[in-house]
Structures are given as C-alpha cells and as structure tokens.
Amino acid sequence: MILEYLVGAATVSVGWSGYVCAFVKNVTGRELSATWTRAPFIWDEARTICNPTRRHRHLPAVFIVLAVTGF
C-alpha cells in the first residue's frame, strides 16, 4: 500500500510541476532550466533499462512534495 501511495504521489507531483513551470514561464517570460526540471533517468524500451540523463533531481516536484507533506 505504501508503494502505491509513493508512485501516486510522485506522478501527481510531476504533473503539478508542469503547471508550476508553465506558470513561471507565463509570469516571468523565462523557462526554468531543463537541468532542474527533467527526470534524472529515462526509460529505454529497446534495452528495457533506465539510462541516466545527467540531470539533477526534478526540483519543482521535490518542493511540491515537501510543501504538501509539511502542511
């Protein structure tokens, strides 16, 4: 059950992060860096493995999870 909540919360936070990134772009006119807003791994279906993308964590999603957890 905990794993189900973990996957669900991660999916929702990434979705909300998309809204936050779009909001920042509309308000400021600048996009957030892809280094901080993309996934650190990408799924390769041909080899059925996750490949690193050399990016940092998905920071908007991390902050959203922390904010929701704190409240």
Side-chain angles (χ1 to χ4, degrees):
M1 190 67 137
I2 293 173
L3 181 60
E4 181 180 339
Y5 286 139
L6 178 67
V7 171
T11 304
V12 169
S13 67
V14 169
W16 286 356
S17 175
Y19 288 120
V20 169
C21 292
F23 177 76
V24 169
K25 182 180 178 185
N26 288 335
V27 170
T28 65
R30 296 183 348 179
E31 290 187 26
L32 296 174
S33 172
T35 304
W36 298 103
T37 59
R38 300 287 184 239
F41 296 98
I42 191 166
W43 180 253
D44 184 4
E45 287 191 34
R47 296 182 355 193
T48 61
I49 192 169
C50 284
N51 292 326
T53 59
R54 297 182 186 195
R55 294 192 168 98
H56 302 291
R57 302 284 185 253
H58 198 294
L59 283 186
V62 170
F63 288 134
I64 289 169
V65 168
L66 292 176
V68 170
T69 303
F71 292 110

